[in-house]
Amino acid sequence: MALFLSRCCAWNRQSAFANGALMSGLFNGRRDREIPSASLLARSVCHQHSLLKDQHLHRRMCLNTTAYKKPNFFWRSPSRFMYTTRTKCCRNQVHSDKLHKSPYALVQNDLKNLYDEIRQLLAVSSDLKAICDYYFDGKGKAFRPMIVILMAKACNIHHGKNMELLSSQHSIGMIVEMIHTASLVHDDVIDGSDTRRGKITVNKIWGERKAILAGDFVLSAASVALARLGNNTVVSVFTQAIEDLVRGEFMQLGSKENENERFGHYLEKTFKKTASLIANSCKAVSILGNCGPDVQEIAYQYGRNIGIAFQLVDDVLDFTSCANQLGKPAAADLKLGLATGPVLFACQKFPQLHTLIMRRFNVDGDVDQAWQYVQQSDGVQQTCYLAHQYCQEAIRQISLLRPSPERDALIQLAEIVLTRNK
């Protein structure tokens, strides 16, 4: 599976970005809501500047990557993934200490009691405790807390401190996992899902009403833990992340009739539902480490790009992995009426997919037909390549920090995201 994704990511960049209008703003360095709103003229000028910045970044990423020039060599030597662009920064100064330690090994001690601590925060009696403990059983990947802890230590070192993790930064690792899990419980209710992480969902065991209340309780406990940090800026950052989660879910319930707007809608939904929480969590630990605005933006942008890449690969796996690997039924997105990256790219070759997308694949045979269209197109390959581009930008951002084992581990995570099979 890893080899398959690796080959996909070296796909011809021209086909992946054939529709330039749809791709405008993919690697925007600032969120749209940060554009000044003093006047319509000022907003227009800022928007034009953003588009020019996107085009410049896209050219630099596509034309200067070792991956594109030597795809075969690149995937035979994964270590070259760390040095793919010619941007001048400190990425070539690889920290020698703990060089060969995996990201998981570096945070093992910091996360070994993570789920026990979360269960203590959720310590209540009755069925509510049993439901809350069901997902926090210690068998999760803890992907988001791992990123948060690595980012916290990398930022601390960059700021001139030692690599010791602050207790407040450790709390962010728990909070992000709690918010993420609460959103999964609610998603399963909305989607009517039967399985999650290879287990029967809470809504199938305890019913939808109790599942919704359990998700609300976990979210409220995360909010209490967040308030105890006593940092209003961090509270504001997480408030934005929670708002994005809700808005992203609403966006997923709809679809754009205009084909030219559909891909932008898909990427914005992907950011809000998946990447925003990662991005804002990374920003939060940089704030708690007293880092300046530049480092906060680096942390945010790394989380944003790695989060979008993670979801793009997840959308690919829905077409390439079996249910045993994913922990959920294959083609789940199509069955939910969702048109993800592979489907939207496949529309370039099979325009008849637009009709199926607009009726959300709800006619008998639509799911199978859409599946066949994707398999007969290069939709999967183009989505893989797009995920690769987002990982490249994440690497470019994090490489601006001072060398450390944690910074290098965050670079390595980009490769892990691209080559995962579940």
Side-chain angles (χ1 to χ4, degrees):
M1 185 61 216
L3 178 60
F4 173 76
L5 284 176
S6 300
R7 289 174 176 172
C8 289
C9 292
W11 195 258
N12 189 317
R13 66 182 182 87
Q14 293 180 350
S15 62
F17 290 88
N19 194 333
L22 293 179
M23 296 301 175
S24 178
L26 291 187
F27 307 102
N28 193 355
R30 296 281 181 179
R31 290 164 285 177
D32 292 340
R33 56 177 170 271
E34 294 180 354
I35 296 177
S37 57
S39 67
L40 180 61
L41 178 61
R43 188 180 297 112
S44 176
V45 170
C46 288
H47 180 63
Q48 292 177 9
H49 174 73
S50 178
L51 291 179
L52 290 174
K53 181 179 179 181
D54 295 342
Q55 294 171 4
H56 171 72
L57 180 57
H58 170 259
R59 285 196 300 269
R60 182 174 63 193
M61 292 177 63
C62 289
L63 299 179
N64 289 349
T65 59
T66 303
Y68 174 66
K69 292 180 180 179
K70 299 180 180 180
N72 293 331
F73 180 76
F74 166 76
W75 292 111
R76 291 192 186 109
S77 302
S79 61
R80 289 186 63 85
F81 191 85
M82 300 170 62
Y83 320 110
T84 51
T85 68
R86 297 176 182 145
T87 306
K88 290 184 178 180
C89 62
C90 54
R91 73 183 65 189
N92 289 322
Q93 306 172 30
V94 179
H95 200 286
S96 59
D97 185 28
K98 303 179 184 177
L99 178 63
H100 300 294
K101 269 201 170 185
S102 71
Y104 302 97
L106 282 175
V107 299
Q108 184 176 7
N109 291 333
D110 298 293
L111 297 180
K112 64 181 179 181
N113 297 321
L114 175 75
Y115 291 105
D116 290 334
E117 294 169 348
I118 291 176
R119 286 195 293 269
Q120 289 177 5
L121 291 176
L122 302 173
V124 291
S125 59
S126 73
D127 288 347
L128 188 57
K129 182 180 186 303
I131 297 174
C132 293
D133 289 349
Y134 185 71
Y135 273 138
F136 298 111
D137 57 2
K139 297 180 181 178
K141 297 186 294 292
F143 178 75
R144 289 157 184 79
M146 177 178 61
I147 291 180
V148 165
I149 299 305
L150 289 173
M151 181 63 72
K153 291 186 175 182
C155 288
N156 289 349
I157 293 174
H158 182 85
H159 193 56
K161 301 178 181 179
N162 58 33
M163 62 183 294
E164 290 301 318
L165 189 70
L166 302 177
S167 60
S168 58
Q169 292 173 323
H170 176 75
S171 295
I172 295 297
M174 293 194 303
I175 291 168
V176 67
E177 185 69 2
M178 293 168 72
I179 294 175
H180 171 61
T181 301
S183 71
L184 295 183
V185 174
H186 287 159
D187 283 353
D188 289 339
V189 173
I190 293 172
D191 300 337
S193 301
D194 296 333
T195 59
R196 167 74 67 177
R197 296 174 177 172
K199 301 169 61 175
I200 302 175
T201 55
V202 167
N203 49 291
K204 289 300 178 182
I205 298 177
W206 284 277
E208 292 185 354
R209 294 182 180 181
K210 288 186 177 180
I212 292 173
L213 293 175
D216 291 343
F217 178 72
V218 173
L219 187 59
S220 67
S223 300
V224 171
L226 185 60
R228 286 175 180 166
L229 297 179
N231 189 306
N232 292 334
T233 304
V234 171
V235 171
S236 177
V237 166
F238 270 97
T239 300
Q240 183 62 63
I242 295 173
E243 177 186 331
D244 284 341
L245 276 171
V246 176
R247 289 183 180 274
E249 192 61 52
F250 268 94
M251 292 181 70
Q252 184 165 286
L253 295 175
S255 181
K256 289 290 185 180
E257 292 187 15
N258 189 327
E259 298 172 10
N260 293 328
E261 298 177 358
R262 195 173 290 151
F263 208 100
H265 181 272
Y266 162 67
L267 287 176
E268 185 179 357
K269 181 267 296 180
T270 297
F271 164 74
K272 291 184 181 299
K273 280 206 65 178
T274 303
S276 177
L277 182 59
I278 299 175
N280 282 294
S281 299
C282 288
K283 183 176 181 179
V285 292
S286 69
I287 293 172
L288 292 171
N290 293 320
C291 296
D294 291 345
V295 175
Q296 292 176 27
E297 184 66 13
I298 290 171
Y300 176 88
Q301 290 298 333
Y302 175 85
R304 174 185 183 273
N305 284 282
I306 208 73
I308 294 176
F310 185 92
Q311 186 58 51
L312 289 173
V313 172
D314 202 57
D315 294 342
V316 165
L317 292 176
D318 199 45
F319 287 91
T320 60
S321 291
C322 64
N324 291 335
Q325 288 178 306
L326 286 178
K328 61 182 180 181
D333 293 331
L334 286 176
K335 294 173 183 176
L336 291 173
L338 304 179
T340 56
V343 177
L344 297 178
F345 277 122
C347 287
Q348 297 175 2
K349 184 175 182 180
F350 300 104
Q352 52 268 46
L353 265 171
H354 294 300
T355 302
L356 278 61
I357 291 172
M358 290 311 302
R359 65 188 186 214
R360 298 180 70 85
F361 314 106
N362 62 1
V363 175
D364 289 344
D366 279 1
V367 171
D368 292 336
Q369 186 64 67
W371 176 276
Q372 292 299 324
Y373 284 143
V374 171
Q375 300 303 319
Q376 296 168 21
S377 72
D378 57 5
V380 166
Q381 293 90 333
Q382 293 190 57
T383 306
C384 285
Y385 182 78
L386 184 59
H388 171 259
Q389 291 297 90
Y390 275 106
C391 282
Q392 287 291 91
E393 175 61 6
I395 290 174
R396 190 187 73 84
Q397 291 286 341
I398 200 62
S399 296
L400 298 174
L401 295 185
R402 185 175 299 173
S404 67
E406 286 70 26
R407 185 210 68 165
D408 296 338
L410 288 168
I411 294 174
Q412 186 182 349
L413 264 180
E415 180 181 350
I416 293 174
V417 166
L418 283 178
T419 57
R420 69 189 182 95
N421 59 7
K422 60 180 180 179

